[in-house]
Each structure stands twice: as C-alpha cells, then as structure tokens.
C-alpha cells in the first residue's frame, strides 16, 4: 500500500510529504499513536481521522491473517442501507493528456483528486475509488447522517467551485461533471485482493450516479429524483425532466443544481413553520410592545 495514496483517499494528502520525510511507510502505520502524530504537528481532528483509519487497517490485516491460518474465507459484514453516491468526472482530460507530458498530467490529476477528496472528507463522506479522472464517493458509509443527501450536494457545489479555481499549466480552467443519486444498496463486501481490494456497493444507485454525471454540463451537478426529495427546498434546482439513461428500462428523473436557495432559515427551507404558523406569537409580541423586535425573537426561536 502506498502511504500517499492512502492519505489522499482520506482527504489528508497534505501530510504525504511529512510522512515521507519521517520515513513512515505502510509497515509503520499500525504502530503510530496519538502522541506520535501530535509530535509531527498533526491537529487533533486529523489525528482522530488517521487513527480511526489505522484501526481499520489493523482490523483488515487481522482478518486476513486469521483466514490464512484457518483456511476460511473472510466474510465482511455486508449490510443493506440507504446511500447517497456521488460520481465526479474531470472534463476534457483527453485534451489535457494531449497537451501535457505524463509527469505534468500526473500533477494536474493529483491536484484535482486531492481537491475532491479533501472536500468529500470535510462533509464526512468516503472516497471509495479513484478511476483515472473519475472519483466515486459515498455519503452514508461508513458513517451515516440524517442529512447525507444534503451533505453530498453541498460537497458537489464546493468541488465544482474549487476545481474551477485550480491553477493549471494551461490557459483553460478545469471543470467537473457531477452526478448524485440516493437509494438502497448492499455495502461492505470485500472484493479484489491486495491494494486493489475495496468495499463494494451493490445496487443501481452507483450506476445511476454515473449516468447522471454523463448528462451534466461542465461545472454542473445533476441529481436523481430520490435525492431531490430528500433535500427539500434547501437548493435552487432546475427540473431537467425525465432523461433516457443507459441500462435503465425507464427514463429517470433528473434535476440540475443551480445554487443554495435564499431562505430565511434551514428550518423553513425544509418545510418547517414560519412566523405566521406559530399561533399567538405575533399577538403576544404586540401585547408586549415588542413588534419591532420580531426578527430577534425569531432568531431565538431557531
């Protein structure tokens, strides 16, 4: 396992040079402690994330060793759960490969991958795989949140903006296409061997995310209908109608994300009550002579 790839997959690629300078390789990772990472200058949040990932490595190694000693086939705890999947693809990578030599192209792709993985990590998503200029990410695995669909869309908006601002060796700005879909999957089965081993997701959701990405324009995010229903009115969306997607018998719903909606509060955006829906609030304030302070009271009520 390459330590640099491992760090980038965690969204912590900024520590690659530090780890290499300290001669920390895959054999040393399981021995790292919180004290070691603190001495290296790694902040608390990133130390916790690294130690959690190291714990996962140790568990995988133990499972593999046990299976070798007993002759048993390792069974990972696959589970059925709702997952939001993001598929992100770099626009114009073929043109980039024609303009740059392989080393330069590698630097461009790595900067793009680090940008995407860093944003995904900030929203507590999980980068499942790098596929050349494509990135597959999960929101809801291994850790689930009630707002995973919203997290994925916010991450998509941030990724699109961050990639646009990347400095490149060429004159053209980079752009991404992003597809996001939500649905029930079976996740957790270990497939492949060695460095190619990954936790597979079985279901149509990853395929739908990839098809929606193909429908997107440069810099655009396209959502599936199920994702759109989960996020309420938090974002400004444009209905693209039902679209024909390869591999799907029926046309699929598609919505383009334009921006975060301008709303007075997330509670109202999600369909909650406004001031007129709170019985007696205005009358009580008027009785107290505090109508002018209504906005302040509403802030307290949030």
């Amino acid at each position: 396992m390459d330590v640099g790839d491992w760090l980038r997959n965690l969204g912590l690629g900024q520590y690659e040079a530090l780890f290499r300078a300290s001669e920390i390789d895959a054999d040393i990772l399981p021995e790292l402690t919180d004290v070691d990472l603190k001495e290296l200058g790694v902040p608390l949040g990133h130390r916790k994330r690294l130690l959690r990932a190291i714990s996962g490595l140790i568990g995988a190694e133990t499972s593999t060793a046990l299976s070798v000693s007993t002759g048993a086939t390792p069974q990972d705890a696959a589970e059925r759960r709702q997952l939001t999947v993001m598929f992100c693809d770099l626009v114009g990578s073929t043109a980039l490969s024609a303009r740059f030599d392989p080393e330069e192209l590698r630097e461009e792709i790595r900067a793009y991958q680090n940008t995407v993985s860093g944003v995904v990590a900030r929203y507590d998503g999980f980068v499942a795989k790098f596929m050349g200029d494509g990135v597959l990410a999960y929101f809801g695995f291994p850790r689930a949140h009630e707002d995973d669909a919203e997290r994925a869309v916010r991450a998509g908006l941030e990724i699109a903006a961050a990639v646009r601002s990347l400095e490149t060796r060429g004159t053209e700005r980079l752009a991404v296409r992003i597809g996001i879909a939500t649905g029930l999957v079976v996740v957790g089965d270990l497939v492949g061997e060695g460095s190619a081993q990954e936790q597979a997701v079985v279901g149509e959701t990853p395929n739908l995310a990839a098809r929606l990405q193909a429908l997107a324009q440069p810099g655009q995010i396209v959502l599936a209908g199920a994702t759109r229903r989960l996020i309420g009115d938090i974002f400004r969306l444009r209905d693209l109608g039902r679209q024909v997607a390869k591999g799907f018998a029926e046309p699929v719903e598609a919505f383009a994300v334009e921006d975060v909606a301008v709303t007075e509060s997330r509670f109202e955006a999600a369909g909650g009550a406004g001031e007129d829906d709170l019985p007696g609030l205005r009358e009580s304030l008027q009785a107290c002579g505090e109508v002018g302070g209504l906005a302040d009271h509403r802030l307290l009520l949030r």
Side-chain angles (χ1 to χ4, degrees):
M1 181 187 71
D2 181 77
V3 170
D5 290 340
W6 180 75
L7 287 168
R8 285 190 294 278
N9 197 41
L10 294 173
L12 300 173
Q14 66 267 37
Y15 297 115
E16 179 179 358
L18 177 63
F19 274 48
R20 295 199 188 283
S22 303
E23 298 187 359
I24 299 173
D25 55 22
D27 293 335
I28 299 299
L29 278 178
E31 300 176 20
L32 288 180
T33 65
D34 185 71
V35 174
D36 295 331
L37 294 172
K38 188 174 183 179
E39 289 180 355
L40 289 172
V42 180
L44 178 61
H46 289 175
R47 294 203 306 271
K48 295 293 186 183
R49 186 177 298 160
L50 285 165
L51 290 171
R52 187 168 64 234
I54 289 170
S55 177
L57 286 176
I58 295 172
E61 289 177 358
T62 301
S63 175
T64 301
L66 181 63
S67 67
V68 170
S69 64
T70 62
T73 301
Q75 296 295 323
D76 197 60
E79 58 181 302
R80 181 182 176 91
R81 66 162 70 187
Q82 179 165 281
L83 197 67
T84 296
V85 178
M86 171 193 289
F87 193 89
C88 179
D89 189 62
L90 184 64
V91 176
S93 59
T94 302
L96 288 176
S97 65
R99 287 205 307 269
F100 300 139
D101 69 40
E103 284 297 321
E104 291 175 332
L105 180 62
R106 177 174 174 270
E107 291 179 11
E108 300 285 345
I109 296 296
R110 175 167 290 186
Y112 153 72
Q113 290 176 335
N114 287 344
T115 297
V116 174
S117 59
V119 174
V120 169
R122 280 197 293 279
Y123 286 91
D124 212 12
F126 173 74
V127 175
K129 185 188 291 187
F130 293 112
M131 297 168 283
D133 57 1
V135 181
L136 179 67
Y138 304 149
F139 292 82
F141 176 84
R143 183 183 302 175
H145 310 82
E146 65 177 16
D147 60 344
D148 279 315
E150 179 186 339
R151 287 169 181 259
V153 178
R154 291 190 184 278
L157 287 169
E158 190 171 324
I159 287 168
V163 171
R164 275 198 307 271
S165 65
L166 281 176
E167 295 291 335
T168 69
R169 297 173 184 269
T171 58
E172 298 178 2
R173 288 292 182 184
L174 299 180
V176 292
R177 295 187 181 94
I178 296 175
I180 298 176
T182 305
L184 288 175
V185 300
V186 174
V187 61
D189 279 324
L190 289 175
V191 298
E193 296 181 355
S195 61
Q197 191 175 72
E198 63 182 83
Q199 288 181 298
V201 167
V202 179
E204 69 174 17
T205 306
N207 293 332
L208 180 55
R211 299 306 181 199
L212 292 173
Q213 174 275 138
L215 295 173
Q217 298 297 315
Q220 188 179 63
I221 305 163
V222 177
L223 308 180
T227 309
R228 187 265 172 275
R229 286 184 281 277
L230 285 170
I231 61 176
D233 296 324
I234 296 172
F235 303 93
R236 286 196 292 110
L237 306 174
R238 178 161 50 89
D239 190 345
L240 301 178
R242 290 188 171 271
Q243 300 286 323
V244 176
K246 184 178 179 181
F248 290 82
E250 300 292 334
V252 299
E253 293 178 286
F255 299 85
V257 182
E258 298 190 337
D259 204 348
V260 176
V262 179
T263 56
E264 294 184 329
S265 71
R266 181 181 169 191
F267 180 60
E268 292 176 13
E275 64 180 79
D276 294 332
D277 298 317
L278 298 176
L281 174 61
R282 183 178 293 276
E283 290 76 10
S284 297
L285 291 175
Q286 286 174 332
C288 297
E290 296 176 351
V291 174
L294 178 60
D296 294 334
H297 282 276
R298 291 179 58 207
L299 287 173
L300 291 173
L301 285 168
R302 292 175 194 166

